[in-house]
Amino acid sequence: AGAFTRSTTGVRQLSLIERPEADAAVAAVTASDRARTVIIHGPAGAGKTEVLLQLVTKLRAAHVPTLVMRADEADRPPLAPD
């Protein structure tokens, strides 16, 4: 099995690089029946998006419930009231 790439159709497609970090994250999430949180971090260009894509694809294939959110703007100051 190869790595996966993003698809707006929801169909899995092969990408060029399979990330072993995704397998490690799957193992961490599925290690027990308790809820788990896994943090993926690294510098820009390190492959975090690809790892997360592969992680979510593999978890969904294993019927593990997933919730995907963006938090890249979480450090912005709140909007000032009018």
Side-chain angles (χ1 to χ4, degrees):
F4 305 101
T5 188
R6 283 170 286 225
S7 172
T8 57
T9 64
V11 177
R12 296 188 319 179
Q13 299 174 355
L14 293 178
S15 76
L16 298 177
I17 301 171
E18 185 161 356
R19 302 299 304 249
E21 299 92 336
D23 292 330
V26 169
V29 169
T30 59
S32 76
D33 292 335
R34 297 180 55 192
R36 297 283 181 154
T37 300
V38 174
I39 297 173
I40 308 294
H41 64 93
K48 297 177 300 292
T49 299
E50 185 67 22
V51 169
L52 290 169
L53 176 65
Q54 292 177 31
L55 170 62
V56 169
T57 301
K58 291 175 182 197
L59 290 174
R60 287 182 176 172
H63 305 288
V64 176
T66 58
L67 173 65
V68 178
M69 299 169 45
R70 282 185 77 144
D72 58 341
E73 296 185 22
D75 59 352
R76 289 180 137 183
L79 297 175
D82 290 335

